[in-house]
Amino acid sequence: MKFKSKLLITITAVCLFLSNLFSEDFRSYLSYRYFYNAVYKKDFEWVKNHLKAGYNPEKCKGEAGWVDSIPLKVVVETLHSYKIDGQNSDTMIVDLLIQYGADVNRLPYVWDRIYFFNDFDIIEDRYKNNYKKDGILYEGAVQEKEEREWVAKINRVIEKLLLAGADPNMKGHPFPFGTSWQLLFFTDKMAFKYFNSKEATTPLYEAIKKGMKWESQVDLLLKYGATLDETCLEAAK
């Protein structure tokens, strides 16, 4: 009897596994996980094929719950890219997602890009002093040139969003764009409680606060209608 009971439990477990494996929800999860991989890798053709097949441009499934669930957010928070006929795959994918209906004002993407990439990243550590790479000494004008290219790489996605109508004054907050485990179960509605709080800041505030190295971001925001307010004066101190 014990053997039959164990066998029945095993068969039941296998049947449940197989039913879940081939369930619509599970297949949907897997397919949108592949879509996430395409977006994260900035694989233009792969992303395009998914969208042409009817995939939702506002939905993907990464490892981190809500954090990795929105294609535009994934693009905004990553820097790697490659060239396709002289164009950059990151900006091409932004255009493609927007073309298929992604909302550039669903979240404060401009704020996110400006806040997410700052001096703490490569620039301070790599360009503070002269350094050698592959036996070549990088110094002076070479450092400045690479630094400008780094900033331009960040700015080109910001400008694509602004060109598509992203609000240059849409406030953001660090927590929804952070690394807390709570973000696994987050929603847009929960995020906007932070974006509408007293602690929220404008993209212009964050760009000014980063210093002269990032003045091109300030110029870009002003070009597309960002508003100077008292907080911007505080950021400049």
Side-chain angles (χ1 to χ4, degrees):
M1 291 293 291
K2 287 184 179 179
F3 173 76
K4 288 183 178 179
S5 178
K6 287 182 179 179
L7 181 61
L8 182 61
I9 290 171
T10 302
I11 292 172
T12 303
V14 170
C15 289
L16 285 171
F17 172 78
L18 290 174
S19 65
N20 286 330
L21 182 63
F22 296 106
S23 70
E24 186 176 344
D25 287 344
F26 189 76
R27 290 199 305 272
S28 175
Y29 169 80
L30 281 181
S31 61
Y32 275 99
R33 178 57 188 268
Y34 294 141
F35 186 38
Y36 165 81
N37 289 340
V39 174
Y40 180 79
K41 292 178 180 179
K42 309 286 175 59
D43 189 319
F44 178 77
E45 289 299 326
W46 199 10
V47 172
K48 185 178 179 180
N49 289 339
H50 276 84
L51 292 170
K52 286 177 72 174
Y55 279 66
N56 186 346
E58 294 277 24
K59 177 183 176 182
C60 59
K61 294 287 185 182
E63 301 97 337
W66 179 82
V67 170
D68 290 335
S69 68
I70 308 167
L72 267 181
K73 186 174 183 293
V74 174
V75 177
V76 164
E77 293 181 355
T78 51
L79 271 182
H80 54 275
S81 181
Y82 64 95
K83 293 283 187 180
I84 306 174
D85 297 327
Q87 298 186 66
N88 300 296
S89 64
D90 53 2
T91 52
M92 290 175 70
I93 288 173
V94 169
D95 278 338
L96 194 61
L97 290 168
I98 293 168
Q99 178 188 333
Y100 277 85
D103 180 4
V104 292
N105 289 308
R106 174 177 173 178
L107 295 175
Y109 296 119
V110 172
W111 187 97
D112 186 16
R113 184 82 170 181
I114 290 170
Y115 181 84
F116 202 87
F117 296 107
N118 52 51
D119 285 354
F120 180 75
D121 252 303
I122 293 176
I123 295 175
E124 281 298 312
D125 296 331
R126 186 172 176 185
Y127 301 114
K128 192 180 337 184
N129 303 304
N130 294 344
Y131 74 98
K132 277 189 175 182
K133 181 180 177 183
D134 299 328
I136 301 171
L137 178 64
Y138 289 82
E139 56 182 299
V142 175
Q143 291 184 35
E144 292 175 7
K145 178 177 179 293
E146 290 198 6
E147 189 173 291
R148 287 195 301 272
E149 289 174 353
W150 169 258
V151 174
K153 189 174 186 179
I154 296 166
N155 288 356
R156 70 188 184 214
V157 169
I158 295 172
E159 184 155 27
K160 276 291 180 185
L161 293 166
L162 292 168
L163 273 168
D167 184 354
N169 297 304
M170 193 175 187
K171 292 183 177 181
H173 188 285
F175 185 80
F177 297 122
T179 57
S180 169
W181 65 267
Q182 297 175 53
L183 297 175
L184 284 168
F185 313 102
F186 233 52
T187 64
D188 290 12
K189 185 176 180 180
M190 294 165 71
F192 270 92
K193 289 182 179 179
Y194 288 89
F195 302 151
N196 294 326
S197 69
K198 292 181 180 179
E199 292 77 27
T201 57
T202 65
L204 192 56
Y205 171 89
E206 294 298 336
I208 292 172
K209 191 173 71 171
K210 292 197 292 186
M212 291 298 292
K213 194 178 294 178
W214 300 90
E215 63 182 344
S216 59
Q217 287 187 347
V218 175
D219 294 340
L220 190 57
L221 289 165
L222 291 172
K223 175 183 174 182
Y224 286 92
T227 302
L228 277 167
D229 58 20
E230 292 181 1
T231 66
C232 294
L233 297 178
E234 295 175 13
K237 291 179 181 179

